[in-house]
Amino acid sequence: MEKKKSFFNSLVFKLILGIAIGIIVGQMANQGLIAVIDAIKRILGDLIGYIVPLIILGFITPAIVSLKDSAGKILSVTLLICYISSVGAATMSLIAGRIIIPHLNIASNVGAGNEIPEAIFKLQIAPIMPVMTALVTSVLIGLAVLWTKSQTWEKLLLEFNNIVLAIVDKVVITILPLYIGTTFAELAYEGAIIHELPVFIKVILIVIVGHFIWMTLLYSIGGAISKANPREVFKHYPPAYFTAVGTMSSAATLPVALKCARKSKVLDPKIRDFVVPLCANTHLCGSVLTETFFVMTVSQILYGKMPEISTMILFISLLGIFAIAAPGVPGGTVVASLGLITSILGFNDTGTALMLSIFALQDSFGTACNVTGDGAIALMVTGIFNKVPGRNGNVEYQPSTEEDVK
């Protein structure tokens, strides 16, 4: 009974319920009801848009400031590898998307049916600053705190990080099912979204295949750098993978991931116990791969074309930075990067809601890819900093005992 209860309280169930109810209501709604629904959707969309600059300030700046606490070569190299992995996964997704999406038979006719009437009431909530202004501000303040060694601001920013995380968890995640439900109600009222549901299922399956391709590449590179058999790491990771599928959170999966990594004989214990927790919050290759493919699909559905390649390259470059500081909540990557989706790709409220919904529906698999890929990063860093070949060219360390793991 407990498992059923936890599933029915999960974000995935609430999103599915919101989508289903939204589609049913949208198909049955008259002009008066859809006008009320549109007003609610606009208010919720404005509220999320208002929170976006706070998310940027609350996660990018503390991430920069926290570098001081464990500064060093291992940290710098690990973060660089995390960024390259995320950008590389997104680039692979970009190439695959340009090849695959034109063959998905996307009708590109959302909005071709009934027209949404004007909202019955309006309440505009303007953000405190534009998205790019927030990004530049967060970087400058973070660097300035490091330069001046201000302990007061350091503590303040870390507290602000906790505050913003609470806002995301208590406000954004709470209103998400309702926001997505109202969006799908409008799309169903317009009449074309029903025909695109099979496309969403296809793209979710495609990105899951992409996850396994990228994990294979990461472990192959890790094996080459460390001159160790990568199987000695990934063979221990299935429990962490399936735990992540259930939790949808890298942070919540961290104890299991560490337990799995500690069974490996080819990971340096000190590097392993530093890199795996760090990567739980900074290595989001699966989520970035997914988001890149999804933004191209949603753009094709809503606007009839994919974003220009130059626009996508800029989007991917910045997305890799945002992923490093994304909040550790379901859908954290796409929530943190909402500003990029709206400012660089030009998505409207409907596009943003579609991204949030289909991303969150597969987020468990993206998280599982992130967590499993962390083992490959630990293997790479072990190879870079501990080039002491053992028997048969492998570096072997004593696995941690069960007592150590506990």
Side-chain angles (χ1 to χ4, degrees):
M1 291 296 294
E2 181 140 352
K3 284 187 179 178
K4 288 185 178 179
K5 183 179 178 182
S6 63
F7 172 73
F8 290 134
N9 287 329
S10 68
L11 179 62
V12 171
F13 175 75
K14 292 176 183 177
L15 289 175
I16 294 173
L17 188 64
I19 291 171
I21 293 175
I23 291 174
I24 293 171
V25 171
Q27 289 181 308
M28 299 173 60
N30 56 26
Q31 281 197 345
L33 178 57
I34 208 68
V36 173
I37 290 173
D38 182 57
I40 295 172
K41 190 197 91 166
R42 289 175 184 274
I43 292 172
L44 295 177
D46 280 357
L47 180 58
I48 293 173
Y50 172 83
I51 295 172
V52 167
L54 297 179
I55 292 173
I56 295 171
L57 292 170
F59 285 95
I60 299 292
T61 312
I64 294 172
V65 172
S66 65
L67 296 182
K68 178 184 74 69
D69 295 332
S70 51
K73 290 184 178 180
I74 294 179
L75 173 70
S76 302
V77 169
T78 302
L79 290 178
L80 179 61
I81 293 174
C82 288
Y83 179 78
I84 293 173
S85 176
S86 294
V87 171
T91 302
M92 183 187 79
S93 185
L94 170 61
I95 295 170
R98 303 292 295 193
I99 296 171
I100 296 172
I101 291 174
H103 300 288
L104 292 180
N105 297 321
I106 295 175
S108 303
N109 61 351
V110 172
N114 298 323
E115 187 175 339
I116 302 294
E118 187 174 347
I120 201 166
F121 57 88
K122 295 180 181 179
L123 177 63
Q124 292 186 336
I125 307 172
I128 57 175
M129 66 177 71
V131 169
M132 294 310 295
T133 301
L135 177 59
V136 173
T137 302
S138 63
V139 172
L140 288 177
I141 290 178
L143 291 175
V145 171
L146 288 180
W147 294 333
T148 59
K149 296 181 173 59
S150 172
Q151 294 183 354
T152 302
W153 268 91
E154 181 181 348
K155 293 177 182 177
L156 180 66
L157 289 170
L158 293 177
E159 285 294 325
F160 185 56
N161 176 263
N162 292 330
I163 291 170
V164 175
L165 181 57
I167 292 173
V168 171
D169 189 34
K170 303 296 184 183
V171 180
V172 177
I173 300 301
T174 300
I175 68 175
L176 209 50
L178 179 59
Y179 179 54
I180 287 169
T182 57
T183 299
F184 272 83
E186 287 194 350
L187 292 172
Y189 179 81
E190 289 174 325
I193 189 60
I194 302 300
H195 303 294
E196 303 300 350
L197 288 178
V199 173
F200 293 147
I201 296 173
K202 288 179 184 176
V203 297
I204 288 174
L205 294 176
I206 289 169
V207 297
I208 291 174
V209 172
H211 294 161
F212 282 95
I213 293 173
W214 190 252
M215 284 189 288
T216 301
L217 181 60
L218 284 180
Y219 275 99
S220 299
I221 295 173
I225 292 175
S226 65
K227 294 182 173 59
N229 186 349
R231 186 176 180 277
E232 291 300 319
V233 179
F234 70 74
K235 74 178 182 180
H236 301 294
Y237 258 88
Y241 183 92
F242 290 108
T243 300
V245 169
T247 63
M248 297 173 63
S249 168
S250 298
T253 309
L254 180 57
V256 179
L258 269 173
K259 186 173 182 178
C260 294
R262 288 180 176 184
K263 293 179 181 179
S264 174
K265 297 179 180 180
V266 296
L267 295 179
D268 182 317
K270 292 181 180 178
I271 289 179
R272 173 199 65 203
D273 290 347
F274 173 77
V275 170
V276 172
L278 177 65
C279 287
N281 296 300
T282 59
H283 183 230
L284 304 176
C285 59
S287 300
V288 170
L289 183 155
T290 301
E291 183 171 342
T292 301
F293 198 92
F294 281 179
V295 294
M296 292 189 290
T297 304
V298 170
S299 181
Q300 182 69 46
I301 291 173
L302 292 182
Y303 314 121
K305 63 178 182 177
M306 289 181 280
E308 298 292 333
I309 293 180
S310 58
T311 302
M312 285 301 301
I313 291 174
L314 174 60
F315 174 76
I316 288 170
S317 301
L318 292 176
L319 183 61
I321 298 174
F322 275 64
I324 289 177
V329 295
T333 307
V334 72
V335 169
S337 62
L338 283 178
L340 298 181
I341 293 173
T342 56
S343 64
I344 294 179
L345 302 181
F347 277 27
N348 58 18
D349 288 346
T350 301
T352 301
L354 273 176
M355 273 301 304
L356 287 169
S357 52
I358 61 173
F359 185 93
L361 289 175
Q362 69 70 55
D363 190 39
S364 55
F365 295 99
T367 302
C369 176
N370 299 339
V371 169
T372 307
D374 295 347
I377 304 299
L379 187 59
M380 292 180 199
V381 179
T382 294
I384 291 171
F385 289 97
N386 290 272
K387 298 182 178 180
V388 183
R391 189 176 299 174
N392 299 323
N394 285 344
V395 183
E396 293 196 0
Y397 301 94
Q398 188 65 32
S400 300
T401 64
E402 285 296 314
E403 202 60 40
D404 291 334
V405 173
K406 292 176 184 176

